Amino acid sequence: MTTKDEWLRKAREAHGRGDSAAEAAALDALIRADRTNIAALVAMAELKRRLNDERAASSFYRLALATASQAREVHPALHPSLQRAEQYLSDVDNVLADHLFNRLRAAGLDQRTATPRVAEALRLLSGEQPLYQQQPNMFYFPGLAQRAFFDRSEFDWVPEVEASTAAIRDELQALLNDPGEHFSPYVAANPDRPPPNNPLLDKPDWGAAWLWQSGEIVSDMDRLCPQTLATLALAPQPVIPGRAPIALFSRLKPGTHIAPHHGLLNTRLICHLPLVVPDGCGIRVGAETRAWREGELMIFDDSFEHEAWNRGTSDRTVLLFEIWRPDIDANEREQLTTLFAAIDAYGDGH
C-alpha cells in the first residue's frame, strides 16, 4: 500500500519533470487518504493555479486555510504557502467583484437601481458588507426572518405610543427632579455570579431607571410614571413570570460607547422611544447604522450584533421596552412562555 509520504514524493517527482497529470493523480490520492493534509491541499491549489484553473485553485486554497484554522498546530514551513493562499484569494475576490459589477452595470443593474434586498446581496457578495445574523446568547428560535430593523408602520399600536411622547418625557423629567435616586448602572454585578466582562460594569455612564423589571412594576413607579406605564400597556409585551415585561428609561451619558454585543433571545424585538437625543448619538444593528429621532419609535432585533454611542455633549435618554416578534403566533407565544418559565424554574426546587 502506498503511504502518504510516498504519494507526496510521487507528486513532487511529477512536478519536477513537468508531468501535471501524474502530479494531480498523486495529490488526489493523498487528499483522498488524508483530507486534512494541508501540504497536499496547498500543492493541489498551486497546481491548479499553474494550469489556470482559477476556481479549482480557489477551492483548494480555501480548504487549506479552513483546515489550518482548525488544526492544533501548523508546521512553520507551511506558513508562507498559507500567506500566498490568502493573498491569492483576496486578489481573485477583487477580480471577480470587478468582473461582476462591470457586467451588471452594462446590464443597467447596480446598488442604486437594485431593489434593497438585491443591493444588500451585492454588498455581501463583494465583501463591502459583513454578513450579520441572529446570534442570541441564550435561546434561538428557528425560522424567523433575518431582519435587523422593523418599520414602525408594521405595528398598529405605534401611533398611540408615539402620541404619548411629551407626557412620557414630562414624567422622565419629574423622575430626574425627584429626590430619590432612580437611575443605577445598567450593567451591574450580581454577587452570586461572575462579573460580566464589560467596561461599563457598575458605571453610571449607561444608566437605567427601571419601570418593569423581572415581570414586576418597580416600587413607586406606578405613582411616578402612570402615563408611561399606561402607554406601555398598548404594546404586545411578553408576560412571563419572573422575566417579563421589562421596561426602563435608558440613559447614555456623553462620551459613552456600548460595545458590540448580542441580546439573549431572538423571540423579541427591542423598542426605543427616543425622549432626549442630542446630536452625535447613534446605534448600529447588524450592518445598518441609524440615529434616533425624538418621538419616533425605533424597533430592532437585538440578537443581531449591535452597539450604541453618545458623542454629544448631553445625556441621551430613550424609553426601552420589548415586544413579541410579530412572526411568532399566539400559540407559539403561549408555548414559549411555558418553556421560559420552565428554564427559570431550574434551581428552584426542580
Side-chain angles (χ1 to χ4, degrees), residues 16-17 22 61 102 106 109 128 165 210 215 219 231 239 259 263 271 291 296-297 349:
R17 64 177 184 268
Y61 271 142
N102 286 337
L109 179 63
E128 177 184 342
T165 298
W210 291 92
S219 176
T231 301
V239 178
C271 300
E296 288 190 7
L297 269 165

Side-chain angles (χ1 to χ4, degrees), residues 41-62:
L41 294 170
V42 168
M44 183 67 94
E46 294 182 345
L47 170 60
K48 298 297 184 182
R49 185 175 175 179
R50 293 195 304 273
L51 296 174
N52 296 316
D53 189 344
E54 184 178 281
R55 292 195 175 189
S58 296
S59 296
F60 282 103
Y61 271 142
R62 291 187 198 281

Side-chain angles (χ1 to χ4, degrees), residues 322-335:
E322 63 179 5
I323 60 171
W324 282 108
R325 280 188 60 121
D327 40 358
I328 297 178
D329 64 34
N331 186 42
E332 290 173 326
R333 293 179 187 186
E334 182 178 350
Q335 293 181 16

Side-chain angles (χ1 to χ4, degrees), residues 184-186 188 208-219 229 240 242-248:
S184 58
Y186 180 85
W210 291 92
L211 298 143
W212 281 92
Q213 189 172 27
S214 302
E216 301 285 345
I217 296 176
V218 173
S219 176
L229 290 172
I240 303 170
R243 178 187 289 262
I246 63 164
L248 62 141

Side-chain angles (χ1 to χ4, degrees), residues 296-312:
E296 288 190 7
L297 269 165
M298 180 183 290
I299 304 172
F300 63 94
D301 180 345
D302 76 328
S303 69
F304 284 85
E305 182 185 271
H306 60 289
E307 60 182 322
W309 55 87
N310 179 355
R311 298 173 187 147

Side-chain angles (χ1 to χ4, degrees), residues 239-260:
V239 178
I240 303 170
R243 178 187 289 262
I246 63 164
L248 62 141
F249 292 117
S250 174
R251 180 176 68 187
L252 287 187
K253 290 186 173 294
T256 303
H257 177 220
I258 302 173

Side-chain angles (χ1 to χ4, degrees), residues 279-301:
D279 291 338
C281 296
I283 182 171
R284 177 186 64 81
V285 183
E288 187 172 353
T289 298
R290 294 189 180 183
W292 293 277
R293 297 180 62 178
E294 292 183 5
E296 288 190 7
L297 269 165
M298 180 183 290
I299 304 172
F300 63 94
D301 180 345

Side-chain angles (χ1 to χ4, degrees), residues 112-292:
R112 294 172 301 172
T113 60
T115 66
R117 289 200 294 183
V118 172
E120 183 175 7
L122 291 173
R123 292 194 297 273
L124 291 167
L125 182 62
S126 67
E128 177 184 342
Q129 175 181 314
L131 175 62
Y132 293 101
Q133 293 187 309
Q134 298 163 347
Q135 296 183 60
N137 290 322
M138 191 201 83
F139 180 81
Y140 179 82
F141 189 70
L144 301 176
Q146 296 281 339
R147 295 178 59 190
F149 284 99
F150 285 67
D151 194 270
R152 299 153 51 235
S153 64
E154 299 176 56
F155 305 91
D156 57 10
W157 50 268
V158 162
E160 196 171 355
V161 169
E162 292 181 340
S164 298
T165 298
I168 293 171
R169 187 187 293 114
D170 288 343
E171 290 186 343
L172 167 66
Q173 189 58 54
L175 202 66
L176 294 171
N177 295 337
D178 188 79
E181 181 50 61
H182 300 287
F183 278 88
S184 58
Y186 180 85
V187 184
N190 182 336
D192 296 325
R193 298 289 186 274
N197 183 20
N198 191 313
L200 295 176
L201 176 64
D202 292 331
K203 291 185 177 180
D205 307 59
W206 183 9
W210 291 92
L211 298 143
W212 281 92
Q213 189 172 27
S214 302
E216 301 285 345
I217 296 176
V218 173
S219 176
D220 222 23
M221 282 301 182
D222 51 350
R223 176 182 65 83
L224 292 167
C225 300
Q227 180 62 52
T228 304
L229 290 172
T231 301
L232 287 168
L234 300 170
Q237 298 173 279
V239 178
I240 303 170
R243 178 187 289 262
I246 63 164
L248 62 141
F249 292 117
S250 174
R251 180 176 68 187
L252 287 187
K253 290 186 173 294
T256 303
H257 177 220
I258 302 173
H261 64 290
H262 298 85
L264 294 174
L265 314 161
N266 69 331
T267 54
R268 67 180 184 184
L269 299 177
I270 297 296
C271 300
H272 285 180
L273 179 63
L275 302 172
V276 182
V277 184
D279 291 338
C281 296
I283 182 171
R284 177 186 64 81
V285 183
E288 187 172 353
T289 298
R290 294 189 180 183
W292 293 277

